[in-house]
């Protein structure tokens, strides 16, 4: 998984290109969690980010085309996850039946994230999270 990480005082960025293979989803999920730990993000939030990365990367591999790009940023206590693929068809929340084993990924993302959405061109899905522990400590927004 080729990756880039930029650390500055005001903004942190991690980018990775993921081959479209479902077997690589655990690696993306675990890498996201490790980056959150490196950035000293609250563990509860890091778990939410890990699950979101897993869902968005899985969706991009299953329903998208071509390579998958993962981008994570942190700035002023706001963590954003963006996953892109080469398919312009926008992901949509499904309404699965109770006995359907799949189809809840975006519902999970929507329940975890402060905000989420899809880019206007349909190639990317994103989720934004607020690190409340940093706000409580007198960090961002204080």
């Amino acid at each position: 998984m080729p990756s880039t990480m930029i650390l500055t005082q005001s903004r942190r960025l991690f980018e990775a290109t993921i081959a479209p293979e479902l077997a690589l989803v655990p690696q993306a999920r675990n890498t996201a969690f490790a980056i959150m730990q490196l950035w000293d993000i609250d563990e509860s939030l890091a778990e939410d980010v890990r699950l979101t990365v897993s869902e968005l990367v899985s969706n991009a591999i299953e329903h998208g085309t071509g390579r998958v790009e993962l981008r994570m940023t942190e700035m002023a206590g706001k963590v954003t996850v963006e996953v892109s693929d080469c398919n312009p068809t926008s992901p949509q929340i499904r309404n699965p039946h109770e006995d359907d084993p799949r189809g809840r990924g975006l519902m999970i993302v929507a329940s975890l994230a402060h905000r989420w959405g899809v880019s206007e061109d349909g190639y990317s899905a994103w989720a934004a999270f607020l690190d409340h522990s940093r706000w409580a400590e007198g960090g961002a927004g204080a």
Side-chain angles (χ1 to χ4, degrees):
M1 182 166 63
S3 61
T4 304
M5 186 163 49
I6 298 171
L7 298 172
T8 66
Q9 200 164 21
S10 60
R11 180 173 181 236
R12 296 176 179 147
L13 168 68
F14 173 81
E15 295 178 317
T17 301
I18 304 163
E21 301 171 23
L22 285 173
L24 296 176
V25 172
Q27 182 181 0
R29 174 176 56 236
N30 293 334
T31 298
F33 188 76
I35 295 298
M36 294 296 98
Q37 290 180 314
L38 180 66
W39 291 352
D40 198 29
I41 300 298
D42 176 73
E43 188 169 343
S44 175
L45 176 57
E47 288 290 349
D48 291 349
V49 169
R50 179 195 325 226
L51 182 52
T52 296
V53 166
S54 184
E55 295 298 336
L56 293 180
V57 169
S58 294
N59 283 350
I61 291 170
E62 288 185 46
H63 305 293
T65 57
R67 72 181 186 283
V68 174
E69 301 288 335
L70 168 62
R71 178 183 199 147
M72 299 186 324
T73 59
E74 188 276 332
M75 187 166 69
K78 178 182 174 185
V79 176
T80 304
V81 173
E82 181 179 359
V83 176
S84 305
D85 62 52
C86 298
N87 184 351
T89 304
S90 294
Q92 308 235 342
I93 290 184
R94 295 182 183 177
N95 231 347
H97 293 273
E98 284 183 30
D99 56 348
D100 286 342
R102 304 173 50 135
R104 293 172 180 79
L106 289 179
M107 290 172 57
I108 292 169
V109 170
S111 72
L112 296 174
H114 177 71
R115 293 183 50 210
W116 77 279
V118 177
S119 63
E120 285 187 29
D121 62 11
Y123 289 102
S124 300
W126 58 269
F129 302 85
L130 298 178
D131 186 351
H132 295 289
S133 69
R134 292 182 185 229
W135 293 68
E137 295 170 1

